[in-house]
Amino acid sequence: MDFREKMDEKFIGVLTDFMQSQSEESLYAAQQFSRLALEHKIPPEEIVNLQKSAMQELMPDLPPEVWHSFDILLEVMTAYGFAFREYQSLIDTQKEFKNEMEIASSVQETLLGTSVPTIDGLEIGALSVPAKQMNGDYFHFVHDGDHSVNVAIADVIGKGIPAALCMSMIKYAMDSLPEYRKDPSAVLGSLNRVVEQNVDDSMFITMFYGMYELKNHMLHFSSAGHEPGFFYSKQLDEFLDLEARGLLLGVDKDTTYKRYEQQVEIGDMIILMSDGVTECRTDEGFIERETLVSFINNYIDLPPQEIVNKIFRDLEKLQHFQLRDDFTLIIMKRVK
Amino acid sequence: MNITVNITEQTEDQVRVAIAGEIDAFTAPKLREKLDPISTKDPITLIADLSQVNYMDSTGIGVFVGLFKGIKANGGHLQLVGLSDRLKRLFDITGLADIMDINPEVKGGVE
């Protein structure tokens, strides 16, 4: 039977019981009743009504002033009833938003989906985890046959849904320039014009774009204001900054981007990341780049995907499993 | 996580603001709200003293780029002073140090 239909009876039961025993159990029964009433969206004034009719049934001889007092209480509770109904409709709207967000985030995943290429001689590990539902970080691989592997890593300044939508735009702009994709400085120059024209004045994108030539193992790269990656030299056993200068995308439409080169030997690694990795805040302050290097050093003999996964777990632990920023880390290692 | 923005000096064509605290996704809207009205005035030199800013993330960078573009469009000038090494690095990495007037020293400081 529906709660509403047996509500009167139930309430009288609880009330009678408490009048007789004033026990903890009957108080507990009252709590359960109120939980059920909330669940069935019973407004507060209806509860007052319940009390009034229950009392009329149990103690019909009370003086008329008592009944009048219930009417006043009813009147006063009506406003609370309105507030309650408003709250109910907000909850419903919020549920709708939540559903839409879930759909949006899965659409984003599909739109921005990229697969990590399998390449003989070059091991690649990549991981991107959003702090909130939608990811403002983005990475993308394009494997151009025997010639090269192109890698892009980007971060939208600004978070949440607008940032995520902006990333989708970038991805489509990138897909539409296959003819340049072997030239990092041309890719960034062209994306810069797209972003400058299309994006809100306070939204910017940082991006690193690299083209790894498979024949001669040369990395060509350019950066648009992106957090510098690392280059691990096996021979020197040292981590060097993969320094490249360039302005954020979307600030100045006439900016040009310089192209840099790095020779990659067997055992060397290219480490790319979003600022969510280096801007990771902990109780003691920030993770310094050196700390990150020491983390990588701990796992240096593992395959890149495992290193990436382990570092994410370590950084997550340092932040008490509450990511503050989107996290993206890519490691490419030449193995032969 | 908090921020204060105080106008420390104001003449017809120059405004000096002292910003203190953290600039991140939570405080950036407040900062923008305080600074935007200044940037949309006639050609103006806005000097922002960041020496008391102990944290800034990329959202903060977004605020200053927006401000820089707004002021420049009106024929004015934005100068950032008193940047810590960490803040300076943010402007260096993003390439903004090359196009914006950034000075780690606080010159002509008014207490």
Side-chain angles (χ1 to χ4, degrees):
Chain A
M1 212 203 298
D2 182 40
F3 174 77
R4 263 176 191 280
E5 286 168 38
K6 55 178 184 180
M7 187 164 74
D8 295 34
E9 200 184 308
K10 243 191 148 110
F11 189 80
I12 290 195
V14 172
L15 188 61
T16 327
D17 204 38
F18 186 73
M19 284 172 145
Q20 283 162 4
S21 68
Q22 281 117 63
S23 68
E24 285 285 324
E25 289 84 59
S26 49
L27 273 183
Y28 178 69
Q31 280 170 20
Q32 276 194 316
F33 180 87
S34 81
R35 237 192 316 263
L36 277 171
L38 276 173
E39 233 171 72
H40 290 83
K41 305 182 181 171
I42 310 294
E45 67 268 28
E46 216 168 303
I47 304 287
V48 176
N49 232 340
L50 274 183
Q51 171 86 2
K52 187 181 172 189
S53 21
M55 289 301 284
Q56 275 168 337
E57 202 177 314
L58 295 171
M59 310 179 74
D61 302 328
L62 285 176
E65 286 84 355
V66 173
W67 310 126
H68 296 327
S69 82
F70 275 112
D71 292 336
I72 281 296
L73 187 56
L74 255 180
E75 200 54 42
V76 171
M77 291 315 282
T78 308
Y80 287 87
F82 281 123
F84 177 69
R85 275 182 285 269
E86 215 165 278
Y87 163 78
Q88 284 298 340
S89 87
L90 281 177
I91 294 255
D92 292 344
T93 323
Q94 204 193 14
K95 263 189 208 147
E96 269 170 44
F97 281 147
K98 201 168 168 247
N99 283 341
E100 284 185 15
M101 274 289 279
E102 267 161 30
I103 296 168
S105 101
S106 78
V107 169
Q108 190 202 17
E109 248 170 64
T110 317
L111 282 177
L112 300 184
T114 185
S115 54
V116 178
T118 318
I119 293 154
D120 190 34
L122 187 69
E123 286 181 359
I124 302 176
L127 182 66
S128 186
V129 183
K132 292 197 185 145
Q133 210 155 12
M134 309 269 288
N135 201 340
D137 281 1
Y138 169 65
F139 71 89
H140 188 50
F141 287 99
V142 181
H143 185 189
D144 265 345
D146 291 339
H147 177 270
S148 61
V149 182
N150 300 284
V151 56
I153 177 166
D155 182 1
V156 180
I157 293 184
K159 294 182 173 60
I161 303 173
L165 291 176
C166 189
M167 259 309 105
S168 310
M169 183 186 82
I170 282 291
K171 147 111 193 199
Y172 279 89
M174 245 166 62
D175 284 348
S176 64
L177 20 117
E179 66 270 32
Y180 312 123
R181 75 175 171 226
K182 294 190 179 69
D183 180 2
S185 68
V187 170
L188 293 185
S190 146
L191 289 179
N192 178 53
R193 286 188 292 277
V194 173
V195 177
E196 212 273 334
Q197 278 166 19
N198 289 297
V199 180
D200 179 79
D201 248 7
S202 60
M203 209 191 277
F204 308 95
I205 297 165
T206 73
M207 183 184 263
F208 175 97
Y209 193 94
M211 190 265 287
Y212 186 100
E213 264 186 295
L214 293 167
K215 281 205 179 85
N216 57 9
H217 298 281
M218 182 72 87
L219 175 73
H220 304 264
F221 60 101
S222 296
S223 168
H226 198 79
E227 174 76 28
F230 293 110
F231 176 71
Y232 170 74
S233 160
K234 170 90 176 164
Q235 196 198 341
L236 300 173
D237 189 23
E238 242 182 85
F239 287 84
L240 309 163
D241 282 353
L242 210 50
E243 204 74 64
R245 279 190 90 93
L247 186 63
L248 294 171
L249 299 179
V251 178
D252 174 7
K253 68 175 186 318
D254 299 320
T255 305
T256 53
Y257 293 91
K258 210 177 150 194
R259 176 169 158 169
Y260 299 80
E261 284 176 355
Q262 174 68 53
Q263 181 65 49
V264 183
E265 306 294 345
I266 293 173
D268 290 355
M269 290 196 286
I270 298 153
I271 298 143
L272 306 174
M273 61 222 157
S274 62
D275 67 0
V277 178
T278 46
E279 287 283 301
C280 159
R281 262 205 270 196
T282 66
D283 295 343
E284 289 96 50
F286 301 93
I287 294 281
E288 298 294 338
R289 282 168 71 83
E290 296 78 61
T291 321
L292 186 63
V293 164
S294 76
F295 279 171
I296 301 172
N297 244 329
N298 288 343
Y299 308 123
I300 202 147
D301 294 321
L302 297 174
Q305 189 62 52
E306 271 182 55
I307 304 181
V308 164
N309 294 348
K310 283 199 184 317
I311 288 175
F312 172 68
R313 228 167 306 147
D314 288 353
L315 291 186
E316 201 187 25
K317 213 184 286 170
L318 278 180
Q319 297 178 87
H320 306 293
F321 302 95
Q322 274 286 311
L323 280 192
R324 290 183 192 242
D325 201 351
D326 303 331
F327 169 101
T328 302
L329 185 62
I330 295 176
I331 297 182
M332 301 165 80
K333 182 178 187 179
R334 179 177 170 195
V335 288
K336 67 176 187 185
Chain B
M1 273 178 250
N2 225 326
I3 193 167
T4 58
V5 184
N6 288 313
I7 296 178
T8 53
E9 192 190 323
Q10 189 162 22
T11 62
E12 208 157 283
D13 54 3
Q14 182 166 318
V15 179
R16 195 181 178 96
V17 292
I19 301 165
E22 303 189 346
I23 309 176
D24 58 18
F26 296 101
T27 61
K30 199 175 161 191
L31 179 63
R32 203 172 282 144
E33 196 180 293
K34 289 257 188 173
L35 295 180
D36 274 356
I38 303 174
S39 69
T40 49
K41 281 185 196 161
D42 293 331
I44 199 159
T45 299
L46 176 65
I47 303 170
D49 182 347
L50 306 182
S51 54
Q52 299 304 312
V53 173
N54 45 38
Y55 173 77
M56 178 158 109
D57 69 4
S58 51
T59 328
I61 289 280
V63 174
F64 287 109
V65 178
L67 198 62
F68 168 75
K69 286 180 103 174
I71 291 179
K72 208 176 151 200
N74 280 328
H77 183 73
L78 171 70
Q79 188 181 37
L80 304 180
V81 297
L83 285 79
S84 65
D85 288 349
R86 187 177 280 282
L87 255 61
K88 176 80 171 49
R89 184 177 170 271
L90 264 180
F91 283 93
D92 281 336
I93 288 175
T94 49
L96 291 167
D98 296 338
I99 59 164
M100 285 169 76
D101 182 358
I102 288 163
N103 192 342
E105 308 284 324
V106 184
K107 274 186 197 158
V110 175
E111 289 299 311

